[in-house]
Amino acid sequence: MAAQRLDVAEPFGAGPEAVQAAIAHLGYVQIDTINVIERCHHHILYSRIAAYRRSDLAHLQSTEKSVFEYWTHALSYVPTADMPFFIPAMKAYRENPSAWFGSVTKAEVSAMTRRLKINGPLTIRDIDDDELVDKTHPWASRKPSKRVLQLMFYQGLVAIAAREGMVKTYDLMARHFGWEKPPRPATERQRTAYLLDRALRSQGVVSLDSVCHLNAPAKAAVRELIEARVKRRLLKPVTIAGAEKVQHWAPPEVLDRPAVAPANRVHILSPFDPLIIQRKRLKLFFGYDHVFEAYVPAAKRRYGYFALPVLVDDRVVAAIDLKTDRQNGKLLVQKWTWLEEVGAEVREAIEAELERFERFQLEG
């Protein structure tokens, strides 16, 4: 809880500096397209910054340029200071584009580069001379230029200079950041240390799976580094009841940290929140088995289309399926599932947080 900064009120303060500090501490903040309530990147930051403003994130991305978008385990906001750790992946996409982008030619990339140089930053909506094609999947675009821009994004040739909802403004990477030359890429050893340090900072107690979430190729190197740090007494093995066969580790100072007294502190969390996204870890530590049911047939849903776990101090006590009715200015409770019995004080605290959450939904 302390590692996730969910154990105290306003751990990062307020303003753009708080948003920068939160992203730096967590390592990344996931972006997602679903907006039955506020999109998850804003929701995750709101959960840790009481006075969070969406404009603060936009300021960091487009004005200060101290955060950028790239792929972690999903599309995410990442501190620009961490760019060197992502440049090797960009280089790999330039040398060997995946099959997903196999139809994009070097000539198309060159043409788009010239277009950006001449016309400046653009969105896919600014491109009106494409010959439209059939979609290959529901999230695809009929404009071939979109796939060209997506490949150039993964290759590190363009950056997402601004975002309006899910509409992205692309600019040449070097021009966006004002680089004369790009940062030097991190070495493999540096990237391994980055993965481990990021997890230790944001998770406190880690396992190999939690460090390498959806990144199995990194496991061998991360295990080797963990073993080296254990020998140097920088990490200590941890045994968790119910998961004795799964190795965990933590820095000694984390294990000596005193527990925070219960305060009926309520967080209504996104299903993509860093505390929630690793489902096995969530179940192990909190005894809660979250199911993301947006793609499950309605008749088979247990918690609801977009259920949000309700955290009270260090317990997940409920899951609430919410939907924002922006036209009528209301936050609708589609389904409420209690996971444990709670008293009147906890119910009042949850209702108060729901009212605050509703204001957040409607103010933007």
Side-chain angles (χ1 to χ4, degrees), residues 203 205-212 219 223 226 236-250 278 280-285:
Q203 298 175 16
V205 178
V206 304
S207 67
L208 200 57
D209 281 344
S210 77
V211 176
C212 304
K219 285 186 175 181
R223 176 178 284 281
I226 288 173
K236 293 183 69 173
V238 176
T239 301
I240 297 177
E244 289 82 0
K245 294 183 179 180
V246 180
Q247 293 178 294
H248 287 80
W249 301 269
Q278 296 196 35
K280 289 182 180 179
R281 178 180 173 88
L282 176 69
K283 186 174 182 179
L284 173 62
F285 281 91

Side-chain angles (χ1 to χ4, degrees), residues 35-39 324-330 361-362:
N35 69 333
V36 290
I37 60 165
E38 183 53 84
R39 299 185 195 277
T324 303
D325 181 353
R326 295 174 177 86
Q327 184 174 352
N328 295 308
K330 295 180 180 179
Q361 299 298 309
L362 301 173

Side-chain angles (χ1 to χ4, degrees), residues 49 64 187 192 212 225 231 241 271:
I49 303 169
E64 288 192 9
T187 65
T192 299
C212 304
L225 180 58
K231 289 180 181 178

Side-chain angles (χ1 to χ4, degrees), residues 223-296:
R223 176 178 284 281
E224 184 178 341
L225 180 58
I226 288 173
E227 292 172 351
R229 291 192 184 183
V230 169
K231 289 180 181 178
R232 295 164 57 196
R233 299 185 179 180
L234 298 174
L235 291 177
K236 293 183 69 173
V238 176
T239 301
I240 297 177
E244 289 82 0
K245 294 183 179 180
V246 180
Q247 293 178 294
H248 287 80
W249 301 269
E253 62 272 17
V254 166
L255 301 177
D256 294 335
R257 183 178 290 156
V260 175
N264 288 341
R265 183 170 292 108
V266 178
H267 292 94
I268 299 170
L269 295 176
S270 165
F272 303 107
D273 192 276
L275 190 77
I276 304 299
I277 196 65
Q278 296 196 35
R279 307 292 194 231
K280 289 182 180 179
R281 178 180 173 88
L282 176 69
K283 186 174 182 179
L284 173 62
F285 281 91
F286 293 90
Y288 169 60
D289 191 9
H290 185 78
V291 181
F292 184 66
E293 297 177 312
Y295 306 118
V296 174

Side-chain angles (χ1 to χ4, degrees), residues 78-132:
V78 183
T80 302
D82 293 348
M83 179 75 75
F85 303 109
F86 295 86
I87 290 178
M90 297 173 184
K91 183 179 178 183
Y93 270 107
R94 290 196 293 273
E95 294 175 348
N96 185 29
S98 70
W100 176 258
F101 302 107
S103 60
V104 176
T105 67
K106 290 183 179 180
E108 288 175 309
V109 171
S110 296
M112 184 62 73
T113 300
R114 286 194 301 272
R115 185 171 195 157
L116 286 163
K117 283 181 178 178
I118 295 169
N119 298 330
L122 56 78
T123 73
I124 193 65
R125 292 177 179 175
D126 297 323
I127 299 173
D128 56 10
D129 57 354
D130 267 1
E131 184 176 336
L132 302 183

Side-chain angles (χ1 to χ4, degrees), residues 16-226:
E17 299 82 4
V19 177
Q20 181 72 56
I23 296 173
H25 177 82
L26 296 171
Y28 60 87
V29 169
Q30 183 173 336
I31 301 167
D32 195 74
T33 60
I34 296 176
N35 69 333
V36 290
I37 60 165
E38 183 53 84
R39 299 185 195 277
C40 74
H41 41 288
H42 294 308
H43 187 171
I44 291 166
L45 292 166
Y46 160 86
S47 294
R48 292 159 178 83
I49 303 169
Y52 172 70
R53 299 176 301 184
R54 296 159 183 82
S55 59
D56 291 337
L57 180 58
H59 176 78
L60 296 182
Q61 180 175 22
S62 303
T63 303
E64 288 192 9
K65 301 171 185 176
S66 56
V67 300
F68 73 105
E69 295 187 25
Y70 204 68
W71 193 267
T72 54
H73 78 276
L75 184 63
S76 304
Y77 283 104
V78 183
T80 302
D82 293 348
M83 179 75 75
F85 303 109
F86 295 86
I87 290 178
M90 297 173 184
K91 183 179 178 183
Y93 270 107
R94 290 196 293 273
E95 294 175 348
N96 185 29
S98 70
W100 176 258
F101 302 107
S103 60
V104 176
T105 67
K106 290 183 179 180
E108 288 175 309
V109 171
S110 296
M112 184 62 73
T113 300
R114 286 194 301 272
R115 185 171 195 157
L116 286 163
K117 283 181 178 178
I118 295 169
N119 298 330
L122 56 78
T123 73
I124 193 65
R125 292 177 179 175
D126 297 323
I127 299 173
D128 56 10
D129 57 354
D130 267 1
E131 184 176 336
L132 302 183
V133 298
D134 292 334
K135 288 187 178 185
T136 55
H137 66 84
W139 296 282
S141 171
R142 295 191 63 203
K143 293 183 176 181
S145 292
K146 182 173 182 180
R147 185 163 290 192
V148 177
L149 286 166
Q150 287 176 323
L151 174 60
M152 293 175 70
F153 166 75
Y154 282 102
Q155 291 177 332
L157 301 177
V158 299
I160 297 174
R163 173 181 285 274
E164 185 70 31
M166 297 310 290
V167 178
K168 295 166 278 194
T169 298
Y170 295 91
D171 195 6
L172 295 170
M173 178 79 85
R175 184 168 63 195
H176 173 68
F177 287 108
W179 292 337
E180 292 186 6
K181 59 180 180 179
R184 180 178 297 178
T187 65
E188 280 297 316
R189 292 187 66 179
Q190 289 170 333
R191 290 176 66 207
T192 299
Y194 163 74
L195 289 175
L196 178 56
D197 291 336
R198 185 179 71 182
L200 289 168
R201 185 177 64 245
S202 62
Q203 298 175 16
V205 178
V206 304
S207 67
L208 200 57
D209 281 344
S210 77
V211 176
C212 304
H213 179 52
L214 300 182
N215 185 13
K219 285 186 175 181
V222 169
R223 176 178 284 281
E224 184 178 341
L225 180 58
I226 288 173

